[in-house]
């Protein structure tokens, strides 16, 4: 027998969960300047992919990079919000936690730049 914890599967609950996730994405884009930069970079990468007619494996790499950067940005924002809630004033340990979360975004963004240069660099040089 299941305990009455309202975790029963219903279509309405699944639809609401998507609604909440989209609200989170909108919050991210509206409130986080770095997320807007990543969003624009992702759009530019997609436009470049179409323009240069990249192959399937290159598309997979581009899409994966965009997804990883957005995922790390979302997690970083969540960590920052939790930290600010727990400790509204400066605390050295909270700073370390926030710096580590930001480092995850930095690594994913740098990895994406390297992959973008590998995919688009030769194509750009060919038209120059």
């Amino acid at each position: 027998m299941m305990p009455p914890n309202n975790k029963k599967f219903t279509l309405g609950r699944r639809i609401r969960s998507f609604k909440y996730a989209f609200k989170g994405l909108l919050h991210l884009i509206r409130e986080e300047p770095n997320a807007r930069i990543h969003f624009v970079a992702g759009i530019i990468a997609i436009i470049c992919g179409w323009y240069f007619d990249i192959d399937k494996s290159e598309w997979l790499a581009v899409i994966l990079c965009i997804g990883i950067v957005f995922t790390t940005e979302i997690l970083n924002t969540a960590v920052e919000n939790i930290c600010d809630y727990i400790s509204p004033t400066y605390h050295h340990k909270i700073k370390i936690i926030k710096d580590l979360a930001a480092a995850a975004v930095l690594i994913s963004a740098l990895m994406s730049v390297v992959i973008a240069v590998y995919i688009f660099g030769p194509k750009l040089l060919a038209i120059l």
Side-chain angles (χ1 to χ4, degrees):
M1 182 172 192
M2 272 181 46
N5 62 2
N6 289 334
K7 296 291 182 180
K8 186 176 178 183
F9 179 89
T10 67
L11 185 58
R13 285 191 180 130
R14 297 299 66 84
I15 291 170
R16 279 193 300 278
S17 70
F18 278 99
K19 183 177 92 175
Y20 300 141
F22 283 113
K23 280 185 175 183
L25 281 174
L26 283 174
H27 174 81
L28 182 78
I29 299 299
R30 287 181 182 152
E31 303 297 326
E32 298 298 324
N34 288 340
R36 290 192 293 272
I37 292 168
H38 296 309
F39 182 76
V40 170
I43 296 297
I44 291 169
I46 290 168
I47 290 168
C48 287
W50 281 325
Y51 180 79
F52 291 115
D53 194 29
I54 61 177
D55 65 34
K56 286 182 183 179
S57 62
E58 291 170 327
W59 271 117
L60 288 173
V62 168
I63 292 166
L64 187 61
C65 286
I66 292 168
I68 289 171
V69 171
F70 265 97
T71 299
T72 55
E73 186 64 50
I74 290 165
L75 292 172
N76 176 53
T77 300
V79 167
E80 286 182 351
N81 278 279
I82 290 168
C83 287
D84 291 345
Y85 179 77
I86 292 170
S87 179
T89 59
Y90 177 84
H91 190 281
H92 177 70
K93 293 287 186 183
I94 295 291
K95 180 190 181 313
I96 292 170
I97 293 166
K98 291 169 89 172
D99 289 350
L100 288 168
V105 180
L106 176 65
I107 295 300
S108 68
L110 289 175
M111 176 188 72
S112 296
V113 168
V114 169
I115 291 170
V117 168
Y118 180 80
I119 291 171
F120 298 118
K123 296 168 181 9
L124 285 169
L125 289 175
I127 64 170
L128 294 179

